[in-house]
Amino acid sequence: MTTPTRRAFLGGLALPVAAPFAGSSGVRLREAGGLELPERHGTPQELAGDEDFWSAVASAFEIDRSIVNLNNGGVSPAPQPVTAALARHLQAANQAPAYVMWRLQQPNREAVRSKLARFLKVDAEELAFTRNASESLQICQFGFDLERGDEVVCCDQDYPRMINTFKQRVAREGIVLRTVRIPVPCEEPERIVAAYREALTDRTKLMLCSHVVNLTGQVVPVKELVALGRARGIPVLVDGAHAFANLEVDLRDLDCDYYATSLHKWLFAPIGTGLLYVRRERILPLWPLMACDAKQDADIRKFEEIGTHPAAYALAVSDALTFHERLGPARKRARLNFLRDRWATHIARHARVRLNTSLKPGMSNSLGNFAIEGLDPVAIAGHLFEKHRIFTTAIGHADCSGVRVSPSVYTTLEEIDRFCAAVDDIVEHGIPA
Ligand SMILES: Cc1ncc(COP(=O)(O)O)c(C=O)c1O
């Protein structure tokens, strides 16, 4: 563990000082999305267990610590710089909504679009703001022209809403849905590629794959699936809900045609923010969910024509991205994986505990799923909450039934250890009737 020598801003950025920070030689830069952290020189891995550093990160979040929230995969709290920015923008809009939102805030959204495009190494004209991953994905799933008998392929571990979206097209339009099964956990990515390959036919028109499986944290070999599809002229829609701002995501490298994500999960943006990437030449043929003027047909903004809605959310995404970059994506990833490994290796010592998540580097993101032989995951998650106020989520799936655990950057080691002790207790003494 490195020793703090002085307090400094992340990356040593020379930014204007907003106000003295009480009781330290540091300064507070909240308005600029700032984060005051002890200066550290270690690698992300060395820093992952440095509680001084991570408690400084945690202080940016206004957390209810009367419970232990280990379901950050569902949706994340936003840090204070983000909630403050959102409140400011909402308040400003409310002063003269039609003027402020449409004349001032909407144009500013373009700067946020460019900032996200730089981060993702794509063209800003290929990025649309949405309200969540569901909306981003459904734009593609409903907007893609398909005829009766055309086939789409997805995995039975994709997000249920997305599977249901295709099922609706099956019921209404007579398309065919082929669903693949993948091993749990899967440490041989080529087996996932093989499962998709077997499901493709001459009538396959679209593939959906999760970048990270929401049930287990499994990383899916998206780049290889995109190559598989491309060789047969089949575009791939990637569900990046659990990958974006958790894994390192390089869209140019993945080479996919569509990439959809929420921003309120791992980017820590305001609840109700999402993003859709559509490769430039794919924009025109993709129908928006809400109709737009024909002159917008080739414009990515056609997907944002959803009627009156606050611009504040997209603007505050900028603060979330600044927070993410100041924190450092590699440091964040290392800490999240460190927390997962801490609880997972502890409970995996029990013979009755099975991990549905691989801990091998690169095989999963920071989500973890465990099962206890002979116990219902719903009962385990219920007991963890009723007795210990530890909030997890039960996963019901034939191949990976278990309890999903997803700490975040503000989670303390004491909370992780309390969770471990609670699981030890369940394994040793069972769940009282
Ligand atoms: C893999 C995956 N895709 C899509 C979604 C939908 O996200 P949202 O509810 O933010 O639309 C989720 C939500 O948990 C998810 O895990």
Side-chain angles (χ1 to χ4, degrees):
M1 199 183 273
T2 40
T3 328
T5 48
R6 68 187 172 89
R7 294 180 74 83
F9 289 109
L10 268 177
L13 292 174
L15 291 167
V17 172
F21 188 80
S24 84
S25 57
V27 287
R28 193 193 290 269
L29 253 186
R30 288 211 164 139
E31 294 302 304
L35 226 193
E36 198 205 358
L37 293 172
E39 187 178 81
R40 292 290 191 270
H41 300 290
T43 64
Q45 283 66 33
E46 285 164 351
L47 209 56
D50 180 337
E51 288 316 281
D52 285 349
F53 182 86
W54 291 101
S55 71
V57 174
S59 70
F61 291 82
E62 284 157 348
I63 294 304
D64 176 2
R65 293 216 188 259
S66 68
I67 67 162
V68 178
N69 182 2
L70 298 183
N71 186 4
N72 292 278
V75 60
S76 171
Q80 198 273 343
V82 176
T83 54
L86 178 65
R88 252 187 351 262
H89 293 309
L90 284 172
Q91 201 173 19
N94 204 44
Q95 289 169 15
Y99 169 71
V100 175
M101 275 202 309
W102 298 333
R103 296 279 181 88
L104 305 181
Q105 294 185 333
Q106 206 136 305
N108 289 354
R109 228 159 56 154
E110 296 308 316
V112 186
R113 196 190 310 275
S114 300
K115 183 168 166 176
L116 280 162
R118 266 175 74 90
F119 177 71
L120 280 166
K121 303 193 188 95
V122 295
D123 191 329
E125 294 302 317
E126 298 175 309
L127 289 183
F129 289 106
T130 64
R131 290 166 290 188
N132 47 49
S134 303
E135 184 177 357
S136 301
L137 287 156
Q138 288 192 340
I139 287 170
C140 301
Q141 291 180 282
F142 283 133
F144 194 91
D145 276 326
L146 291 169
E147 290 172 8
R148 181 170 293 275
D150 281 347
E151 297 180 7
V152 293
V153 177
C154 71
C155 174
D156 71 353
Q157 293 181 32
D158 285 330
Y159 195 62
R161 182 176 296 116
M162 291 23 270
I163 299 177
N164 288 337
T165 302
F166 279 142
K167 283 185 179 165
Q168 186 169 307
R169 291 199 75 171
V170 170
R172 287 185 75 180
E173 300 164 70
I175 70 160
V176 176
L177 173 61
R178 294 195 182 277
T179 312
V180 305
R181 272 181 77 191
I182 59 174
V184 175
C186 181
E187 296 181 344
E188 296 160 293
E190 59 277 12
R191 294 183 65 184
I192 298 179
V193 180
Y196 271 85
R197 186 184 296 111
E198 273 170 34
L200 301 181
T201 74
D202 291 345
R203 295 223 59 175
T204 310
K205 294 289 187 296
L206 182 65
M207 288 157 66
L208 166 68
C209 66
S210 300
H211 196 170
V212 168
V213 175
N214 75 93
L215 311 171
T216 59
Q218 175 75 47
V219 171
V220 171
V222 166
K223 190 175 168 178
E224 288 72 13
L225 289 177
V226 170
L228 173 71
R230 183 135 302 143
R232 297 164 185 240
I234 305 165
V236 177
L237 164 58
V238 183
D239 178 347
H242 280 292
F244 185 81
N246 188 305
L247 301 181
E248 194 174 356
V249 176
D250 183 337
L251 291 188
R252 281 283 169 251
D253 185 53
L254 294 181
D255 201 29
C256 58
D257 291 290
Y258 314 96
Y259 194 94
T261 187
S262 299
L263 300 175
H264 49 222
K265 289 185 189 285
W266 298 105
L267 188 66
F268 309 155
I271 299 164
T273 52
L275 193 69
L276 172 63
Y277 161 81
V278 182
R279 183 190 290 273
R280 198 183 264 270
E281 59 269 28
R282 294 273 180 194
I283 296 172
L284 181 62
L286 188 66
W287 295 95
L289 278 183
M290 290 197 198
C292 66
D293 193 291
K295 63 178 183 293
Q296 281 187 294
D297 281 350
D299 185 343
I300 190 78
R301 292 164 196 78
K302 72 179 177 183
F303 303 119
E304 297 169 358
E305 288 294 334
I306 58 166
T308 303
H309 62 285
Y313 288 80
L315 299 191
V317 165
S318 180
D319 299 80
L321 189 51
T322 297
F323 185 90
H324 179 71
E325 292 190 306
R326 291 251 171 99
L327 174 53
R331 290 198 277 221
K332 177 173 168 182
R333 220 166 24 250
R335 172 66 171 185
L336 292 172
N337 290 345
F338 171 84
L339 295 177
R340 182 206 55 203
D341 289 354
R342 185 176 177 101
W343 68 259
T345 52
H346 178 92
I347 68 170
R349 293 174 312 167
H350 298 288
R352 285 173 59 210
V353 167
R354 187 186 72 240
L355 292 182
N356 287 320
T357 301
S358 168
L359 301 184
K360 281 198 178 162
M363 293 297 144
S364 57
N365 80 341
S366 63
L367 301 175
N369 170 321
F370 75 95
I372 304 176
E373 194 186 297
L375 290 179
D376 176 7
V378 174
I380 299 171
H383 179 75
L384 284 171
F385 193 70
E386 293 312 321
K387 175 149 187 220
H388 303 282
R389 285 298 187 251
I390 296 174
F391 189 58
T392 56
T393 184
I395 299 294
H397 187 286
D399 292 331
C400 51
S401 168
V403 175
R404 193 185 76 178
V405 180
S406 50
S408 189
V409 295
Y410 63 80
T411 307
T412 64
L413 293 191
E414 187 276 333
E415 288 169 335
I416 293 289
D417 293 347
R418 210 162 357 128
F419 164 73
C420 290
V423 174
D424 290 346
D425 185 58
I426 293 173
V427 173
E428 282 154 27
H429 304 108
I431 298 174

